[in-house]
Amino acid sequence: MTTLAEMPCPSDRRVRVWFGEHVIADYTAEPAKALRYQAAMTRRFYSLRVTIEPAIPVVNQDAADS
């Protein structure tokens, strides 16, 4: 369960390590820490996909109005 205290800031980034279609690690932090984590996970799991994206998804206003 996520509480308001745990809600990410708009500038935070979410890093995920993927094993096929399954997320095996999920980390949210400020951009600098997220980039360091992404680099570390890429080195550690060099054969797996590591993604970084905004922690709070950007909603396309045009699609939301439909």
Side-chain angles (χ1 to χ4, degrees):
M1 182 167 99
T2 303
T3 64
L4 290 177
E6 297 173 354
M7 293 300 292
C9 295
S11 63
D12 284 352
R13 298 292 180 256
R14 183 176 191 180
V15 180
R16 291 191 244 178
V17 180
W18 298 83
F19 182 75
E21 62 185 47
H22 304 284
V23 175
I24 62 169
D26 192 342
Y27 178 75
T28 302
E30 66 178 29
K33 287 182 181 180
L35 285 171
R36 286 195 304 267
Y37 185 81
Q38 179 193 28
M41 292 297 102
T42 300
R43 285 190 307 271
R44 176 80 167 100
F45 300 106
Y46 58 89
S47 64
L48 301 182
R49 181 170 53 116
V50 179
T51 61
I52 187 167
E53 58 200 26
I56 300 174
V58 178
V59 177
N60 183 346
Q61 192 61 33
D62 294 336
D65 291 338
S66 304

